[in-house]
Amino acid sequence: MTAGVFSLLLAACTSSINHSKKTEMEGHRYAVDISMRDGVRLHTVILLPKEVSHKAVHLPILLTRTIYGADDITHQMDDQSGASPFDGWGRRLVGGPYIRVLQDVRGQNRSGGEFVVTGPLAHTADNHTSTDESTDAYDTIDWLVHHVAEADGQVGLIGTSYDGFTTLMGLIDAHPAVKVTVAVNPMVDGWRGDDWFHNGAFRQLLIPQIGADGKHVDISLPSTVSEQARAFLHEGSAGDFGHRHGIDDVVFWREILAHSAYDSYWQARALDRVLSAHSLHVPLMLVHGLWDQEDIYGALAVWKALRPQGRRADSMFLTIGPWRHAQALEDGSAIGALQWGQDTAAWWRQEVLKPFLAHYLKGTPMNVAPVTAFQSGAGQWLTFPDWPPASTIRPLYLLPEHKLAFTAGPKRMHTLGYRSDPAHPVPFMPDAGGAVSDETWLAADQRFVTGRNDVLTFTSDELTHPVTVEGAPVAHLGASTSGNDSDWVVKLIDAYPVDSRQKPGVSGALMPVAMDIFRGRYRKSLEHPEPLRSGVLQPYRIVLPEVSHTFQPGHRIVVQIQSSWFPLYDRNPQRFVRNIFLARPTDYRMTYQRIAVGGPLASHVDLPVMDDGSVPLSRRLTVGPDVSPSHP
């Protein structure tokens, strides 16, 4: 045992008895319960790398404050692989060595206190006694830098998903020891587009998770989409489903039912808003996945919120990868049927994350650009000085006869229509096996809905030159419904040519580039929903998830429009009710939907198109199957 380890144990057991409680020791793994300013103890696991047993070294700390179980994660970690489902920040992945610290947030696993889902900021400049994830991070770091003798006084915060939320909260009134932060696929706004809602539509497939988190109610869903759909259809509304499965007493479920609109409850928890109201000084890297099926909103929302503060090349960094949720920590060779010819996640960890952390925690030089983005369709990493890069907005028009073109349609109004029946909603992914799963459905071939009469599909001519899109496509729909409420789902798709040389699952496929849903009642106000005017064409502006993609020559661009995405999202009754969670069976009505394909409300998708389909070599990091690219 080194002198430093002995000092740690001594501090935990004697002089710091009022601040922490030692619970166990297993080799180089130590667990302590650290007291917060209100006396609540948080279970904390400290991993010391092998280097500290050979010589007196002082190392930076990498801290993750987690809901996923510090004990479970650290028992799976080792100095060689660092592999575990939600962490993955081991030595092999990010260089090092570092002292790794994982802590159960209050109210979770072995920590005391009460857990509040994405709790709002509670402390203020005049109130230092109230606690939140920001103060808990500060108190934890303060203890660590004073009691872990092997630590050199520098701390990095790093986390994924919910732990990305706690990482970002640690930026607010950050402890002076915090030198760098990395938030991967962070939960930022649970109503706008992370986890619970997307633009007001509720992700009801998360009800089992809500029940388990709240009171350990075991809600088992069937394994196939069609069986899940039947189960939700049988129960009625999402509120009825939750009630019949016994989660009415779960605090967070009650809050969701009471706050179906984007009111002050959600706005206080919108972390991009919260961060923009504070002065932040710690370098931050945000990591976004192009096909993140859980938290596709948060990372780029924070980037946009902080960008006006002038945080850019010196302290603000962004990675956009071709990944599902948390795939940056795993194998990044493919998502669904899309294969990149390289392990994109391993490349990013080695060439971007590793030097980034080492630079701010160890002072080593780095050559990491403000923005590193993978361009799907072209299969290459690019760097940019900013995001989104300079581009030209080109409207892509929905035309009669289900055509799609960059030239406007007829000046006179034309419409195309379909019936939307809540009793037969459009599925969000196919039932067939193979590459598609509940993790990769955002990358699922959309041919499975093209034969339905409640989905409109618009297709361009075959492209003769590449079309490169960098940024957020914005759908402008002129739409009407015979009811007085409606959902609108918009999909931007890359239609691959039929080619026997393509890999299985790609030839002839309709591969999604960006898809999202918008609940019509929020057309004018996210906070104050109101009925739609029945049968009247009205304009909608629907911002799709950000893309970095090249539509190649020989491909076609496709846009699909529909009014349900089931059972992932709850059904809109299509009759306005004050709270859709409380909709009765008689509220669900079949409606006739119309989409304008000409005239003053002509529907179109604004694409941020690079002026030239090519990218200067000075910004190109890796092309195609090259798995060992060099920096530009």
Side-chain angles (χ1 to χ4, degrees):
M1 180 179 296
T2 67
V5 173
F6 177 80
S7 298
L8 170 64
L9 296 178
L10 183 63
C13 298
T14 58
S15 62
S16 62
I17 191 68
N18 293 326
H19 301 284
S20 66
K21 176 183 176 184
K22 176 181 176 296
T23 56
E24 60 182 282
M25 179 185 78
E26 298 177 9
H28 284 73
R29 178 185 183 280
Y30 305 92
V32 295
D33 292 341
I34 301 176
S35 287
M36 302 294 101
R37 62 190 64 184
D38 62 350
V40 170
R41 295 174 181 269
L42 302 188
H43 184 66
T44 309
V45 179
I46 301 166
L47 299 176
L48 299 175
K50 294 178 180 178
E51 283 78 358
V52 301
S53 64
H54 300 303
K55 58 183 178 180
V57 295
H58 293 85
L59 303 172
I61 291 173
L62 276 179
L63 169 64
T64 299
R65 304 190 59 254
T66 184
I67 66 168
Y68 304 112
D71 282 344
D72 291 341
I73 293 171
T74 54
H75 277 304
Q76 297 178 49
M77 292 176 65
D78 61 68
D79 285 346
Q80 297 303 313
S81 70
S84 71
F86 291 101
D87 186 78
W89 305 112
R91 171 181 167 188
R92 179 177 63 85
L93 302 183
V94 296
Y98 298 107
I99 297 170
R100 281 296 280 121
V101 179
L102 289 96
Q103 180 183 75
D104 293 330
V105 301
R106 64 173 58 215
Q108 287 289 292
N109 299 290
R110 294 181 64 179
S111 282
E114 180 182 356
F115 177 62
V116 179
V117 179
T118 57
L121 201 67
H123 82 281
T124 64
D126 300 323
N127 177 9
H128 296 284
T129 58
S130 295
T131 61
D132 48 42
E133 297 297 357
S134 171
T135 64
D136 285 352
Y138 189 102
D139 294 349
T140 298
I141 294 164
D142 197 61
W143 189 92
L144 291 171
V145 297
H146 286 98
H147 295 92
V148 179
E150 292 79 9
D152 67 0
Q154 300 188 96
V155 177
L157 298 176
I158 194 166
T160 305
S161 193
Y162 196 95
D163 301 351
F165 162 77
T166 62
T167 292
L168 291 173
M169 286 288 282
L171 283 171
I172 302 171
D173 299 324
H175 192 283
V178 178
K179 306 302 180 184
V180 67
T181 52
V182 178
V184 181
N185 310 138
M187 282 186 66
V188 168
D189 190 323
W191 196 94
R192 294 296 302 274
D194 290 332
D195 282 278
W196 316 114
F197 291 83
H198 270 233
N199 299 312
F202 176 63
R203 291 191 57 174
Q204 61 185 4
L205 286 186
L206 292 179
I207 290 177
Q209 179 179 320
I210 294 169
D213 286 348
K215 54 183 288 188
H216 305 290
V217 175
D218 183 12
I219 303 175
S220 298
L221 291 177
S223 58
T224 68
V225 175
S226 58
E227 291 171 339
Q228 291 174 358
R230 281 193 289 271
F232 278 100
L233 285 170
H234 178 264
E235 301 293 359
S237 69
D240 285 337
F241 186 93
H243 172 70
R244 294 175 185 176
H245 285 81
I247 66 171
D248 287 345
D249 293 334
V250 176
V251 173
F252 185 52
W253 177 244
R254 294 204 305 267
E255 292 174 341
I256 285 177
L257 295 181
H259 302 282
S260 57
Y262 195 56
D263 57 16
S264 59
Y265 173 89
W266 294 108
Q267 292 175 29
R269 288 161 168 77
L271 196 47
D272 53 333
R273 293 185 176 205
V274 175
L275 290 170
S276 66
H278 289 77
S279 178
L280 308 178
H281 306 287
V282 180
L284 167 65
M285 176 174 285
L286 296 157
V287 182
H288 172 73
L290 291 169
W291 288 277
D292 186 339
Q293 79 282 7
E294 294 182 22
D295 296 316
I296 202 168
Y297 180 84
L300 286 164
V302 171
W303 173 266
K304 293 174 182 177
L306 298 184
R307 189 169 61 185
Q309 296 184 1
R311 291 167 54 91
R312 185 66 81 252
D314 59 339
S315 62
M316 190 105 177
F317 298 82
L318 174 66
T319 292
I320 298 175
W323 306 316
R324 56 170 169 75
H325 192 66
Q327 194 177 3
L329 317 181
E330 303 170 12
D331 184 286
S333 302
I335 178 167
L338 295 172
Q339 300 183 30
W340 311 122
Q342 57 178 285
D343 186 340
T344 58
W347 180 90
W348 171 74
R349 293 192 298 263
Q350 179 67 27
E351 300 295 331
V352 179
L353 180 63
K354 178 179 176 179
F356 178 76
L357 289 173
H359 177 70
Y360 288 105
L361 292 175
K362 299 187 176 185
T364 60
M366 73 169 184
N367 184 23
V368 175
V371 178
T372 305
F374 188 86
Q375 192 179 78
S376 57
Q380 59 187 3
W381 283 104
L382 308 174
T383 64
F384 299 104
D386 197 0
W387 185 267
S391 62
T392 300
I393 301 301
R394 296 188 61 189
L396 183 66
Y397 290 94
L398 281 58
L399 303 177
E401 300 181 358
H402 299 273
K403 298 292 186 179
L404 200 62
F406 286 109
T407 55
K411 293 183 179 181
R412 292 185 58 188
M413 188 190 73
H414 293 256
T415 62
L416 293 174
Y418 60 94
R419 293 188 183 276
S420 176
D421 186 356
H424 299 91
V426 182
F428 78 103
M429 73 177 194
D431 250 339
V436 177
S437 73
D438 58 356
E439 291 186 334
T440 61
W441 64 268
L442 269 181
D445 182 355
Q446 297 300 297
R447 283 180 292 183
F448 74 99
V449 298
T450 54
R452 295 181 62 104
N453 59 11
D454 51 3
V455 177
L456 293 180
T457 300
F458 299 85
T459 306
S460 76
D461 292 336
E462 186 176 296
L463 298 177
T464 58
H465 61 278
V467 176
T468 297
V469 180
E470 303 283 351
V474 179
H476 297 269
L477 295 187
S480 71
T481 175
S482 61
N484 56 6
D485 197 5
S486 179
D487 288 348
W488 305 104
V489 178
V490 181
K491 307 174 184 177
L492 177 65
I493 296 168
D494 188 338
Y496 280 61
V498 176
D499 188 345
S500 61
R501 296 168 296 178
Q502 295 277 7
K503 295 184 181 298
V506 174
S507 175
L510 300 182
M511 306 306 293
V513 175
M515 307 190 291
D516 218 338
I517 186 171
F518 184 87
R519 186 141 284 176
R521 60 176 49 210
Y522 301 109
R523 187 181 71 87
K524 291 185 178 180
S525 169
L526 302 181
E527 187 174 359
H528 302 292
E530 62 180 53
L532 304 177
R533 296 174 61 191
S534 179
V536 177
L537 284 171
Q538 295 178 292
Y540 293 84
R541 182 179 183 271
I542 304 172
V543 181
L544 298 181
E546 309 252 347
V547 304
S548 176
H549 183 79
T550 295
F551 295 90
Q552 295 287 2
H555 292 222
R556 300 173 189 266
I557 304 176
V558 169
V559 170
Q560 288 183 338
I561 309 290
Q562 59 198 55
S563 291
S564 53
W565 227 5
F566 195 72
L568 178 66
Y569 293 99
D570 65 331
R571 294 174 300 154
N572 191 318
Q574 304 183 148
R575 174 181 181 271
F576 185 86
V577 293
R578 287 296 171 187
N579 189 331
I580 288 180
F581 287 107
L582 307 179
R584 300 164 300 179
T586 54
D587 291 325
Y588 292 84
R589 309 283 179 85
M590 184 172 66
T591 60
Y592 192 72
Q593 320 286 74
R594 286 196 172 274
I595 303 296
V597 291
L601 289 181
S603 301
H604 60 279
V605 180
D606 283 341
L607 298 182
V609 176
M610 303 292 282
D611 289 334
D612 185 88
S614 63
V615 178
L617 288 173
S618 62
R619 295 187 298 169
R620 186 177 291 150
L621 298 183
T622 175
V623 181
D626 184 2
V627 296
S628 302
S630 58
H631 285 294

